[in-house]
Amino acid sequence: MRLVFQYIRPKLMSMSFQLTVKFAGTIVELLLPWMLSRILDVYVPAGDVPMIWTWGGLMILCAALALLCNVAANRMATAISRDITEALRQDLFAKITRLSSAQRDAFTTPSLISRLTTDTYNVHQMVDRMQRLGVRAPILLLGGILIALILEPVLTLVLAAMLPLLGLLVFTVSRRGVGLYTRAQTALDALVRQAKESMAGIRVIQALSKGDYERSRFDEANRDLIRRERKAALLMNVTNPVMNLLLNTGLTLVVVVGAFRVNAGITKPGTIIAFLSYFTIILNALMMVSRLFVMYSKGAASARRLAEVMEAPEDMPLEALPALSGEDFIVFDHVTFSYGKTRETLSDISFSLKRGQTLGIIGPTGSGKTTVLNLLLRLYDPDKGAVRIGGRNVRSIPPEELYGSFGAVFQNDFLYGDKLRENIDFGRGLSETALKKAVQTAQAEFVYEKEGAFNYRLAPKGANLSGGQKQRVLLARALAAQPEILLLDDASSALDYKTDAALRKALWEDHGEATKIIVAQRISSLQQADKILVLEEGRAAGLGSHQELLQSCESYREIAAVQMGEVS
């Protein structure tokens, strides 16, 4: 809850004013039963019609004032909770974008999505209800008890006997509810993950006729969520019927005892009617308190999950490491890395590139090709060894400076549901000339055939483009800012050989000064590279030019024989 208080603090003045208005409206509302008892016990027996009309008009005025104050306070509460949730959600999104890849792997994408949506909504509901009911319910409860005590002390003892039981019930239920709602949110993460996986692979699912299988998997996750939510809801819903039982029992006792006291002339009828009204107010206030505890339980569980993300420590801080001199621009110095610190993904990888040189990386699936690019971008830090750019360890380069030197296309890259121009420019404010030049180099002239050209609107994930068109738009995005280092991870796999050859020629002509690292499955895409790194199970099986590897690397020679019919 400490996290929520940080966002409430800037709104304390507005919230104080809202609570004051709410307080005033609630106090006025509490006076209504007392006014009614005065009319019935004083002015009706005396037949004082003018005073009856006067006090009746005063009751109408107070009722209208209470309504206006409550409506105004509720509108202010809605605005305050909306602003708090907006700021919280914005900061949470910013924090997620700053998490390291290892931290995102630990939280998982589905969990981060549900925290950004469902958990922030639960916090919003908690803050909103606390403002609406947090003042009204306690004042009605305590004020009702106080006035009832003044009106009829003996009958108040009946109410007092019920309160310890009600307090114990609310405390016990709310204490267990936080844990149950936390487990329900964890089940929601699993459901989101299942839905996300199924939607991402919908074409494969349909092609393999696995719809029934996926529905059964989703049904299992859905049932688990329902089971946990039902358990939490059943616990929280215990409060209403038990409270009704206790308070209606007390109400019955009040009527019975009150009847004897009126019959004995100890108490007036108007006082009993007012007491019953206050008893009803107290009943409703306790019901509000029970709803508050339900919202608090859900909100506290969600706030705890949000705090886990917001308070996640910086696990990849900048380090003051000395720069090394030398002619090499990019250096991998005996780099070893493993995801999750278990099985090594890369083991003792070393290579160096001078400015403007090109490195090709080839190897079977899972050999660690993409991991090399991830380490160069410092999405992860190596377990051993060092990665240097321009003599500086990437651990010592500020993120803005580091990422500003790269242009990258990854295997599973994405396109926005926006204009082609926005997808290529990517918020960098590039000139029209730069965009057109990037499209030309990326062999993406098909852009001009689309309606509106650069203003053509893409579907989410570029669903209205073919695979080859998507890759060429992504290539144009990477090239548009004239990057110092160009990373292409299987970026031409969907292109035909003719387009691929034209792309390679254009890259060498238009971006010859850029240092390039190209991951590919085709030797034809790499054979002009200055160096080619052959990876096998995370180890360097060979490093050299195309001709050198044909002579020295058996695995490379086998790939060349299969793809190109080349042998040494």
mmCIF file of all heavy atoms in Angstrom, residues 108-114 188-202 205 214 217-218 412 461:
data_model
loop_
_atom_site.group_PDB
_atom_site.id
_atom_site.type_symbol
_atom_site.label_atom_id
_atom_site.label_comp_id
_atom_site.label_asym_id
_atom_site.label_seq_id
_atom_site.Cartn_x
_atom_site.Cartn_y
_atom_site.Cartn_z
ATOM 1 N N THR A 108 7.402 -12.421 -16.649
ATOM 2 C CA THR A 108 6.660 -12.934 -17.809
ATOM 3 C C THR A 108 5.749 -11.849 -18.380
ATOM 4 O O THR A 108 5.169 -11.043 -17.633
ATOM 5 C CB THR A 108 5.817 -14.198 -17.528
ATOM 6 O OG1 THR A 108 4.659 -13.863 -16.792
ATOM 7 C CG2 THR A 108 6.632 -15.250 -16.802
ATOM 8 N N THR A 109 5.631 -11.850 -19.695
ATOM 9 C CA THR A 109 4.832 -10.842 -20.389
ATOM 10 C C THR A 109 3.360 -10.891 -19.994
ATOM 11 O O THR A 109 2.747 -9.846 -19.736
ATOM 12 C CB THR A 109 4.991 -10.992 -21.911
ATOM 13 O OG1 THR A 109 6.374 -10.811 -22.257
ATOM 14 C CG2 THR A 109 4.147 -9.977 -22.656
ATOM 15 N N PRO A 110 2.718 -12.072 -19.933
ATOM 16 C CA PRO A 110 1.306 -12.094 -19.526
ATOM 17 C C PRO A 110 1.069 -11.492 -18.143
ATOM 18 O O PRO A 110 0.077 -10.805 -17.921
ATOM 19 C CB PRO A 110 0.957 -13.592 -19.550
ATOM 20 C CG PRO A 110 1.909 -14.187 -20.517
ATOM 21 C CD PRO A 110 3.176 -13.417 -20.328
ATOM 22 N N SER A 111 1.989 -11.753 -17.209
ATOM 23 C CA SER A 111 1.841 -11.197 -15.868
ATOM 24 C C SER A 111 1.950 -9.673 -15.902
ATOM 25 O O SER A 111 1.181 -8.972 -15.237
ATOM 26 C CB SER A 111 2.898 -11.774 -14.932
ATOM 27 O OG SER A 111 2.789 -11.212 -13.640
ATOM 28 N N LEU A 112 2.882 -9.147 -16.688
ATOM 29 C CA LEU A 112 3.033 -7.700 -16.792
ATOM 30 C C LEU A 112 1.790 -7.077 -17.423
ATOM 31 O O LEU A 112 1.367 -5.986 -17.036
ATOM 32 C CB LEU A 112 4.284 -7.357 -17.610
ATOM 33 C CG LEU A 112 5.621 -7.708 -16.944
ATOM 34 C CD1 LEU A 112 6.774 -7.472 -17.911
ATOM 35 C CD2 LEU A 112 5.827 -6.894 -15.669
ATOM 36 N N ILE A 113 1.182 -7.770 -18.390
ATOM 37 C CA ILE A 113 -0.032 -7.262 -19.023
ATOM 38 C C ILE A 113 -1.172 -7.191 -18.007
ATOM 39 O O ILE A 113 -1.884 -6.187 -17.918
ATOM 40 C CB ILE A 113 -0.435 -8.152 -20.221
ATOM 41 C CG1 ILE A 113 0.573 -7.996 -21.363
ATOM 42 C CG2 ILE A 113 -1.843 -7.800 -20.713
ATOM 43 C CD1 ILE A 113 0.350 -8.960 -22.503
ATOM 44 N N SER A 114 -1.347 -8.260 -17.230
ATOM 45 C CA SER A 114 -2.443 -8.270 -16.257
ATOM 46 C C SER A 114 -2.194 -7.259 -15.135
ATOM 47 O O SER A 114 -3.135 -6.658 -14.605
ATOM 48 C CB SER A 114 -2.641 -9.672 -15.679
ATOM 49 O OG SER A 114 -1.524 -10.088 -14.930
ATOM 50 N N LEU A 188 -4.991 -15.490 -13.159
ATOM 51 C CA LEU A 188 -5.320 -14.634 -14.292
ATOM 52 C C LEU A 188 -4.106 -14.464 -15.202
ATOM 53 O O LEU A 188 -4.244 -14.431 -16.431
ATOM 54 C CB LEU A 188 -5.805 -13.274 -13.792
ATOM 55 C CG LEU A 188 -6.149 -12.245 -14.869
ATOM 56 C CD1 LEU A 188 -7.287 -12.746 -15.750
ATOM 57 C CD2 LEU A 188 -6.525 -10.898 -14.230
ATOM 58 N N ASP A 189 -2.905 -14.356 -14.617
ATOM 59 C CA ASP A 189 -1.688 -14.292 -15.427
ATOM 60 C C ASP A 189 -1.586 -15.504 -16.349
ATOM 61 O O ASP A 189 -1.254 -15.383 -17.530
ATOM 62 C CB ASP A 189 -0.447 -14.244 -14.520
ATOM 63 C CG ASP A 189 -0.353 -12.947 -13.729
ATOM 64 O OD1 ASP A 189 -1.087 -12.006 -14.065
ATOM 65 O OD2 ASP A 189 0.448 -12.900 -12.783
ATOM 66 N N ALA A 190 -1.855 -16.676 -15.796
ATOM 67 C CA ALA A 190 -1.776 -17.907 -16.593
ATOM 68 C C ALA A 190 -2.817 -17.903 -17.706
ATOM 69 O O ALA A 190 -2.542 -18.348 -18.829
ATOM 70 C CB ALA A 190 -1.982 -19.123 -15.686
ATOM 71 N N LEU A 191 -4.005 -17.381 -17.429
ATOM 72 C CA LEU A 191 -5.050 -17.310 -18.450
ATOM 73 C C LEU A 191 -4.651 -16.355 -19.573
ATOM 74 O O LEU A 191 -4.836 -16.660 -20.757
ATOM 75 C CB LEU A 191 -6.364 -16.853 -17.819
ATOM 76 C CG LEU A 191 -7.575 -16.814 -18.755
ATOM 77 C CD1 LEU A 191 -8.005 -18.225 -19.129
ATOM 78 C CD2 LEU A 191 -8.734 -16.065 -18.115
ATOM 79 N N VAL A 192 -4.099 -15.202 -19.212
ATOM 80 C CA VAL A 192 -3.640 -14.246 -20.223
ATOM 81 C C VAL A 192 -2.542 -14.860 -21.073
ATOM 82 O O VAL A 192 -2.508 -14.693 -22.299
ATOM 83 C CB VAL A 192 -3.151 -12.942 -19.550
ATOM 84 C CG1 VAL A 192 -2.514 -12.018 -20.574
ATOM 85 C CG2 VAL A 192 -4.301 -12.230 -18.855
ATOM 86 N N ARG A 193 -1.625 -15.566 -20.428
ATOM 87 C CA ARG A 193 -0.541 -16.212 -21.174
ATOM 88 C C ARG A 193 -1.091 -17.230 -22.168
ATOM 89 O O ARG A 193 -0.669 -17.273 -23.332
ATOM 90 C CB ARG A 193 0.421 -16.893 -20.200
ATOM 91 C CG ARG A 193 1.598 -17.575 -20.923
ATOM 92 C CD ARG A 193 2.621 -18.137 -19.946
ATOM 93 N NE ARG A 193 2.069 -19.159 -19.083
ATOM 94 C CZ ARG A 193 1.829 -18.996 -17.781
ATOM 95 N NH1 ARG A 193 2.080 -17.843 -17.206
ATOM 96 N NH2 ARG A 193 1.329 -19.976 -17.057
ATOM 97 N N GLN A 194 -2.046 -18.036 -21.721
ATOM 98 C CA GLN A 194 -2.641 -19.038 -22.600
ATOM 99 C C GLN A 194 -3.343 -18.379 -23.783
ATOM 100 O O GLN A 194 -3.197 -18.805 -24.934
ATOM 101 C CB GLN A 194 -3.635 -19.895 -21.811
ATOM 102 C CG GLN A 194 -4.370 -20.942 -22.629
ATOM 103 C CD GLN A 194 -3.424 -21.945 -23.242
ATOM 104 O OE1 GLN A 194 -2.545 -22.455 -22.560
ATOM 105 N NE2 GLN A 194 -3.583 -22.218 -24.525
ATOM 106 N N ALA A 195 -4.115 -17.327 -23.518
ATOM 107 C CA ALA A 195 -4.822 -16.631 -24.593
ATOM 108 C C ALA A 195 -3.839 -15.981 -25.557
ATOM 109 O O ALA A 195 -4.023 -16.031 -26.783
ATOM 110 C CB ALA A 195 -5.760 -15.582 -23.998
ATOM 111 N N LYS A 196 -2.777 -15.373 -25.019
ATOM 112 C CA LYS A 196 -1.777 -14.709 -25.854
ATOM 113 C C LYS A 196 -1.079 -15.725 -26.767
ATOM 114 O O LYS A 196 -0.877 -15.472 -27.961
ATOM 115 C CB LYS A 196 -0.754 -14.012 -24.962
ATOM 116 C CG LYS A 196 0.279 -13.182 -25.700
ATOM 117 C CD LYS A 196 1.129 -12.404 -24.700
ATOM 118 C CE LYS A 196 2.159 -11.535 -25.421
ATOM 119 N NZ LYS A 196 3.201 -12.321 -26.080
ATOM 120 N N GLU A 197 -0.711 -16.871 -26.218
ATOM 121 C CA GLU A 197 -0.051 -17.900 -27.022
ATOM 122 C C GLU A 197 -0.983 -18.420 -28.121
ATOM 123 O O GLU A 197 -0.561 -18.608 -29.268
ATOM 124 C CB GLU A 197 0.390 -19.058 -26.124
ATOM 125 C CG GLU A 197 1.533 -18.710 -25.191
ATOM 126 C CD GLU A 197 1.829 -19.823 -24.204
ATOM 127 O OE1 GLU A 197 1.019 -20.775 -24.129
ATOM 128 O OE2 GLU A 197 2.848 -19.732 -23.495
ATOM 129 N N SER A 198 -2.235 -18.645 -27.771
ATOM 130 C CA SER A 198 -3.181 -19.189 -28.745
ATOM 131 C C SER A 198 -3.442 -18.203 -29.871
ATOM 132 O O SER A 198 -3.502 -18.590 -31.049
ATOM 133 C CB SER A 198 -4.498 -19.555 -28.057
ATOM 134 O OG SER A 198 -4.294 -20.577 -27.094
ATOM 135 N N MET A 199 -3.582 -16.925 -29.543
ATOM 136 C CA MET A 199 -3.842 -15.923 -30.579
ATOM 137 C C MET A 199 -2.614 -15.709 -31.460
ATOM 138 O O MET A 199 -2.737 -15.510 -32.669
ATOM 139 C CB MET A 199 -4.285 -14.614 -29.932
ATOM 140 C CG MET A 199 -5.708 -14.672 -29.403
ATOM 141 S SD MET A 199 -6.316 -13.093 -28.785
ATOM 142 C CE MET A 199 -5.489 -13.016 -27.200
ATOM 143 N N ALA A 200 -1.420 -15.759 -30.847
ATOM 144 C CA ALA A 200 -0.205 -15.603 -31.644
ATOM 145 C C ALA A 200 -0.020 -16.767 -32.619
ATOM 146 O O ALA A 200 0.492 -16.595 -33.728
ATOM 147 C CB ALA A 200 1.017 -15.481 -30.727
ATOM 148 N N GLY A 201 -0.455 -17.956 -32.220
ATOM 149 C CA GLY A 201 -0.264 -19.124 -33.079
ATOM 150 C C GLY A 201 -1.530 -19.608 -33.742
ATOM 151 O O GLY A 201 -1.655 -20.794 -34.078
ATOM 152 N N ILE A 202 -2.501 -18.693 -33.948
ATOM 153 C CA ILE A 202 -3.808 -19.105 -34.457
ATOM 154 C C ILE A 202 -3.718 -19.772 -35.818
ATOM 155 O O ILE A 202 -4.451 -20.727 -36.116
ATOM 156 C CB ILE A 202 -4.777 -17.887 -34.487
ATOM 157 C CG1 ILE A 202 -6.193 -18.336 -34.809
ATOM 158 C CG2 ILE A 202 -4.286 -16.831 -35.459
ATOM 159 C CD1 ILE A 202 -6.818 -19.180 -33.747
ATOM 160 N N ILE A 205 -2.501 -23.300 -35.352
ATOM 161 C CA ILE A 205 -3.561 -24.085 -34.707
ATOM 162 C C ILE A 205 -4.614 -24.498 -35.724
ATOM 163 O O ILE A 205 -5.047 -25.654 -35.770
ATOM 164 C CB ILE A 205 -4.202 -23.265 -33.564
ATOM 165 C CG1 ILE A 205 -3.191 -23.058 -32.428
ATOM 166 C CG2 ILE A 205 -5.451 -23.960 -33.027
ATOM 167 C CD1 ILE A 205 -3.629 -22.045 -31.396
ATOM 168 N N GLU A 214 -6.541 -26.649 -28.167
ATOM 169 C CA GLU A 214 -6.272 -25.338 -27.583
ATOM 170 C C GLU A 214 -7.436 -24.882 -26.707
ATOM 171 O O GLU A 214 -7.240 -24.262 -25.667
ATOM 172 C CB GLU A 214 -6.005 -24.302 -28.684
ATOM 173 C CG GLU A 214 -4.659 -24.471 -29.360
ATOM 174 C CD GLU A 214 -3.510 -24.337 -28.389
ATOM 175 O OE1 GLU A 214 -3.506 -23.382 -27.582
ATOM 176 O OE2 GLU A 214 -2.620 -25.197 -28.415
ATOM 177 N N ARG A 217 -7.067 -26.540 -23.411
ATOM 178 C CA ARG A 217 -6.012 -25.907 -22.601
ATOM 179 C C ARG A 217 -6.513 -24.596 -21.996
ATOM 180 O O ARG A 217 -6.271 -24.299 -20.823
ATOM 181 C CB ARG A 217 -4.774 -25.635 -23.448
ATOM 182 C CG ARG A 217 -4.016 -26.881 -23.897
ATOM 183 C CD ARG A 217 -2.789 -26.511 -24.694
ATOM 184 N NE ARG A 217 -1.858 -25.755 -23.863
ATOM 185 C CZ ARG A 217 -1.037 -24.813 -24.333
ATOM 186 N NH1 ARG A 217 -1.065 -24.482 -25.605
ATOM 187 N NH2 ARG A 217 -0.210 -24.189 -23.522
ATOM 188 N N PHE A 218 -7.213 -23.813 -22.822
ATOM 189 C CA PHE A 218 -7.761 -22.549 -22.314
ATOM 190 C C PHE A 218 -8.817 -22.820 -21.242
ATOM 191 O O PHE A 218 -8.884 -22.113 -20.227
ATOM 192 C CB PHE A 218 -8.373 -21.757 -23.469
ATOM 193 C CG PHE A 218 -8.915 -20.418 -23.049
ATOM 194 C CD1 PHE A 218 -8.082 -19.317 -22.939
ATOM 195 C CD2 PHE A 218 -10.259 -20.253 -22.750
ATOM 196 C CE1 PHE A 218 -8.571 -18.084 -22.544
ATOM 197 C CE2 PHE A 218 -10.763 -19.033 -22.346
ATOM 198 C CZ PHE A 218 -9.919 -17.946 -22.253
ATOM 199 N N ASN A 412 11.508 -11.829 -34.632
ATOM 200 C CA ASN A 412 10.085 -11.651 -34.331
ATOM 201 C C ASN A 412 9.778 -10.188 -34.093
ATOM 202 O O ASN A 412 9.135 -9.820 -33.112
ATOM 203 C CB ASN A 412 9.702 -12.490 -33.109
ATOM 204 C CG ASN A 412 9.934 -13.974 -33.338
ATOM 205 O OD1 ASN A 412 9.556 -14.504 -34.381
ATOM 206 N ND2 ASN A 412 10.554 -14.632 -32.377
ATOM 207 N N LYS A 461 0.365 -5.495 -36.222
ATOM 208 C CA LYS A 461 1.387 -6.490 -36.553
ATOM 209 C C LYS A 461 1.612 -6.619 -38.055
ATOM 210 O O LYS A 461 2.174 -7.603 -38.520
ATOM 211 C CB LYS A 461 1.040 -7.865 -35.964
ATOM 212 C CG LYS A 461 0.964 -7.890 -34.453
ATOM 213 C CD LYS A 461 0.726 -9.292 -33.925
ATOM 214 C CE LYS A 461 0.670 -9.298 -32.404
ATOM 215 N NZ LYS A 461 0.437 -10.653 -31.862
#
